[in-house]
Amino acid sequence: MDLNQEEISKFEEAGRIGRKALEFALTLIEPGATLAQVAEQTEKFIRDSGALPAFPLNLSIDNEAAHYTPFPGDKKTFRTGDLVKVDIGAQIDGYPSDNAATIEVGDTGRHSGLIDASREALNAALKLVRPMVPINEIGRAVASKIGEHGFKPVRNLGGHGIGKYDLHSAVFIPNYDDGNGKLLKPDCVIAIEPFASTGTGMIHSGPAGNIYILSGTRNVPGEPIFDHFGTLPFAERWLEGMVDSTGNYIKKMIRERKVSEFPVLKEHRGAMISQAEHTVIILGDRIRVLTQ
Ligand code: CO
């Protein structure tokens, strides 16, 4: 991927707004607050800052690793002791950022070791990021740091390349040494996202998480969701005022296979998961973390 100065600036701005939005979201999470309030206020913060959300705010709790966002009218509230992964993205003209942090509601300190594990694993990975580094070395560093804390890395989730209107482009950055010696290429944007688990370290697809995306080959100009979100994920909450009945519209689009819904990604019952994530730009041998 060759990046020109204008594209680089858009990635930088998306990263800067993503960082601020994550800080803002963390201040809103407290016992009794609804997930819907936090999502709506944080997404508004992103819009007010001059960007658009790159995907619906993910608020995934306890054994959920990712991909839950509130549905319209969702009454679910945060409770003391909930382990919340806040995963956020901002985009400028389709150039996205992606960053995440984990907090414990009410700060009881019960899960601080698990929270530290993914954050320190992210820092260890960031130290290794440079062009032509074998990608599995990054995974090895992530797994070893999480192991030091006595937890397991989630092996079937990982970091990913980021491109225009594309949150999961070619590169995959594993959270363990998967033996893939492919080299990290210069001139690209990637997200690194370690997940630490008290369970088995494998996640599976749970129930639907209220996050939708246009199906790959069905991009329909003139269709409201394509014109608004392109090929980035969206929430039903965002369709209000755009189409008549948001629920019926989504059902129809899914029936016609124009839209698909992401399942919540979760560990087994009783397991706890933490996550930390930053977006990084690699330009020649210059590395910059865009979301810190
Ligand atoms: Co990501």
Side-chain angles (χ1 to χ4, degrees):
M1 173 160 66
D2 276 324
L3 294 168
N4 64 39
Q5 191 48 54
E6 194 186 337
E7 293 172 303
I8 295 168
S9 306
K10 287 176 179 175
F11 273 124
E12 286 173 339
E13 184 67 356
R16 194 183 65 78
I17 294 170
R19 168 177 61 81
K20 292 202 153 165
L22 180 55
E23 283 168 10
F24 177 73
L26 295 175
T27 66
L28 302 176
I29 296 175
E30 55 186 22
T34 67
L35 277 67
Q37 283 163 355
V38 172
E40 276 159 23
Q41 289 183 46
T42 303
E43 289 161 0
K44 180 178 187 301
F45 179 97
I46 293 173
R47 294 189 182 99
D48 290 347
S49 306
L52 290 172
F55 50 86
L57 185 68
N58 282 218
L59 294 166
S60 309
I61 297 177
D62 293 350
N63 65 327
E64 297 171 345
H67 294 173
Y68 185 83
T69 204
F71 55 86
D74 200 329
K75 296 281 186 287
K76 194 173 175 186
T77 57
F78 293 108
R79 290 171 307 186
T80 301
D82 281 352
L83 189 62
V84 186
K85 276 70 64 184
V86 185
D87 196 338
I88 215 167
Q91 56 120 331
I92 305 274
D93 298 334
Y95 294 88
S97 62
D98 189 358
N99 57 322
T102 303
I103 61 160
E104 186 182 337
V105 179
D107 251 335
T108 61
R110 226 178 305 161
H111 302 297
S112 48
L114 188 62
I115 294 172
D116 289 347
S118 53
R119 194 177 41 220
E120 288 176 22
L122 174 59
N123 290 335
L126 290 173
K127 280 191 195 135
L128 291 177
V129 171
R130 60 176 185 278
M132 309 317 275
V133 70
I135 290 173
N136 62 325
E137 279 186 20
I138 300 176
R140 192 187 309 150
V142 165
S144 125
K145 186 53 83 180
I146 291 173
E148 278 172 30
H149 284 270
F151 304 110
K152 292 210 172 100
V154 174
R155 297 193 302 284
N156 54 346
L157 288 178
H160 48 91
I162 295 180
K164 186 178 188 187
Y165 284 112
D166 184 5
L167 280 163
H168 287 94
S169 70
V171 207
F172 178 74
I173 300 166
N175 287 324
Y176 69 108
D177 182 351
D178 65 351
N180 176 356
K182 258 204 313 200
L183 308 179
L184 203 56
K185 297 280 181 338
D187 299 316
C188 68
V189 177
I190 56 170
I192 299 187
E193 52 178 326
F195 290 82
S197 175
T198 64
T200 61
M202 292 294 282
I203 55 94
H204 61 271
S205 296
N210 313 309
I211 299 174
Y212 306 90
I213 193 166
L214 266 173
S215 303
T217 53
R218 306 270 183 151
N219 305 334
V220 197
E223 192 68 62
I225 48 178
F226 180 73
D227 293 344
H228 282 85
F229 318 123
T231 47
L232 291 172
F234 61 93
E236 186 184 334
R237 295 180 280 105
W238 299 358
L239 300 179
E240 270 153 45
M242 200 183 290
V243 297
D244 284 341
S245 159
T246 60
N248 288 341
Y249 176 80
I250 295 253
K251 279 197 205 104
K252 174 172 168 288
M253 293 296 276
I254 290 176
R255 208 166 47 231
E256 293 174 1
R257 296 177 187 275
K258 291 177 180 163
V259 161
S260 46
E261 182 169 17
F262 290 92
V264 174
L265 301 175
K266 57 201 297 196
E267 256 276 18
H268 64 73
R269 225 192 160 89
M272 287 285 173
I273 291 194
S274 71
Q275 174 203 18
E277 179 176 26
H278 275 308
T279 298
V280 185
I281 190 165
I282 306 171
L283 293 170
D285 54 9
R286 265 184 39 239
I287 316 297
R288 218 142 18 98
V289 181
L290 298 181
T291 47
Q292 86 183 349

